[in-house]
């Protein structure tokens, strides 16, 4: 596998770190942000996690599973808790896919998407073993035991095959099944063309789009399907009102909803992870980053 060119790798790392910072700079309902800590975590932990995880994710030539495990280990060494497992699981194939581009090749969303699909097709059982170790280390809330290929037992299938078994109950696993179709489809559609003037609105819109379309997997695991479905209905209502009001970067209505979700211990973490991956792609493929 050819390594990404140095300029490309540098731009990609910058885009990833910016997407992670936007995750906490943007006040997204129920999520930890600079403006509103929550769930016993702070924005500083998320920012530190991104910086250290990037070293694992952007290791030249590394397999997807190795990137995942390295990034999760580095995160725990830095902050001592799980702040970014979902982001890492999504970013690792995207980072590996970038290494399939040559130094003089242009990168747009369509070509990156196709490269990511090829990376997913090449995943093997060693990727699964390493990713399972990372997931067990992160120990995400409400993980429980899956009926097939549980993460606390050695996998017997490839990482993509294992993710496909969980795709009906986990939106991150679904990306491994559908070739990141939600990131390159609904996510980018919501984010639109991303510039420094619009990037916070793009992050918020992508987040709300995911939350309004699918019950958040993290909420399902922690509070159950009924609560997750009610949050999805609320998200659709809030997003429609927010967009009708002009898609402002700050919204008192959304801020109040944020406080209410946190008071109930509800964290739409999977929707945030999907939004970070979307902004990584949007920033990297923006004409301003060419």
């Amino acid at each position: 596998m050819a390594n990404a060119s140095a300029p490309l790798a540098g731009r990609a790392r910058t885009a990833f770190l910016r997407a992670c910072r936007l995750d906490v700079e943007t006040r997204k309902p129920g999520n930890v942000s600079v403006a509103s800590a929550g769930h016993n975590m702070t924005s500083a932990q998320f920012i530190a996690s991104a910086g250290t995880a990037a070293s694992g994710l952007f290791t030249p030539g590394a397999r997807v599973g190795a990137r995942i495990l390295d990034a999760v280990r580095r995160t725990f060494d830095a902050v001592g808790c799980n702040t970014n497992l979902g982001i890492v699981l999504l970013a690792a194939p995207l980072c590996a896919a970038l290494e399939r581009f040559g130094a003089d090749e242009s990168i747009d969303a369509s070509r990156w998407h196709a490269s990511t699909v090829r990376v997913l097709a090449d995943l093997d059982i060693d990727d699964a073993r390493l990713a399972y170790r990372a997931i067990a280390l992160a120990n995400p809330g409400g993980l429980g035991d899956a009926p097939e290929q549980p993460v606390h037992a050695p996998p017997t299938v490839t990482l993509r095959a294992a993710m496909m078994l969980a795709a009906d109950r986990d939106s991150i696993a679904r990306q491994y099944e559908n070739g990141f179709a939600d990131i390159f489809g609904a996510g980018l559609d919501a984010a639109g063309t991303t510039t420094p003037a619009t990037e916070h609105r793009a992050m918020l819109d992508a987040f709300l789009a995911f939350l309004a379309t699918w019950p958040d997997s993290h909420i399902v695991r922690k509070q159950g399907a009924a609560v997750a479905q009610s949050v999805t209905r609320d998200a659709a209502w809030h997003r429609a009102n927010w967009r009708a009001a002009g898609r402002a970067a700050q919204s008192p209505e959304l801020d109040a909803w944020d406080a209410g979700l946190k008071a109930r211990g509800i964290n739409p973490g999977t929707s945030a992870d999907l939004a970070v991956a979307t902004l990584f792609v949007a920033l990297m493929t923006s004409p301003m980053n060419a």
Side-chain angles (χ1 to χ4, degrees):
M1 179 186 298
N3 289 340
S5 66
L8 171 59
R11 295 202 319 272
R13 187 186 183 105
T14 297
F16 171 75
L17 292 174
R18 183 59 188 150
C20 291
R21 185 169 283 273
L22 285 169
D23 181 33
V24 293
E25 285 183 358
T26 306
R27 186 167 181 175
K28 306 188 310 303
N31 291 162
V32 174
S33 68
V34 172
S36 175
H39 316 295
N40 298 314
M41 293 180 288
T42 67
S43 60
Q45 290 175 299
F46 282 76
I47 293 170
S49 298
T52 191
S55 297
L57 290 169
F58 288 94
T59 301
R63 296 282 307 181
V64 167
R67 293 172 197 260
I68 292 169
L69 181 56
D70 191 10
V72 169
R73 280 176 168 167
R74 289 172 183 268
T75 295
F76 265 76
D77 288 344
V79 300
C81 63
N82 171 30
T83 55
N84 61 4
L85 174 63
I87 292 171
V88 167
L89 289 170
L90 292 168
L94 293 171
C95 293
L98 285 175
E99 292 193 353
R100 300 189 174 212
F101 287 90
D104 57 350
E105 288 187 84
S106 63
I107 296 181
D108 58 28
S110 177
R111 289 168 57 80
W112 194 357
H113 189 188
S115 183
T116 302
V117 170
R118 291 193 291 272
V119 166
L120 296 174
D122 289 342
L123 294 175
D124 61 20
I125 194 168
D126 286 332
D127 290 307
R129 292 189 184 106
L130 295 173
Y132 271 37
R133 287 166 61 187
I135 295 169
L137 174 61
N139 192 26
L143 181 61
D145 288 320
E148 296 181 81
Q149 301 295 320
V151 298
H152 296 297
T156 59
V157 298
T158 70
L159 179 55
R160 188 177 196 186
M163 289 291 195
M164 290 172 70
L165 292 171
D168 63 340
R169 62 181 184 274
D170 187 279
S171 293
I172 291 173
R174 187 173 67 244
Q175 305 317 303
Y176 280 72
E177 178 190 50
N178 68 18
F180 279 53
D182 302 332
I183 301 296
F184 286 94
L188 287 184
D189 287 345
T193 301
T194 305
T195 69
T198 65
E199 59 188 10
H200 291 91
R201 291 194 295 274
M203 170 61 78
L204 182 54
D205 209 346
F207 167 79
L208 290 172
F210 287 123
L211 187 56
T213 305
W214 297 280
D216 187 272
S217 306
H218 184 72
I219 299 176
V220 172
R221 287 194 299 268
K222 294 281 285 185
Q223 279 97 6
V227 172
Q229 289 164 359
S230 72
V231 173
T232 291
R233 289 192 295 269
D234 289 346
W237 184 84
H238 280 290
R239 183 178 186 236
N241 287 349
W242 174 68
R243 289 174 67 88
R247 203 169 171 255
Q250 294 182 321
S251 164
E253 182 180 88
L254 291 177
D255 291 350
W257 189 35
D258 173 44
L261 289 173
K262 288 192 174 85
R264 297 165 61 195
I266 296 174
N267 178 15
T270 303
S271 301
D273 297 337
L274 293 166
V276 171
T278 296
L279 265 292
F280 176 28
V281 175
L283 291 166
M284 188 62 189
T285 57
S286 167
M288 298 189 67
N289 197 31

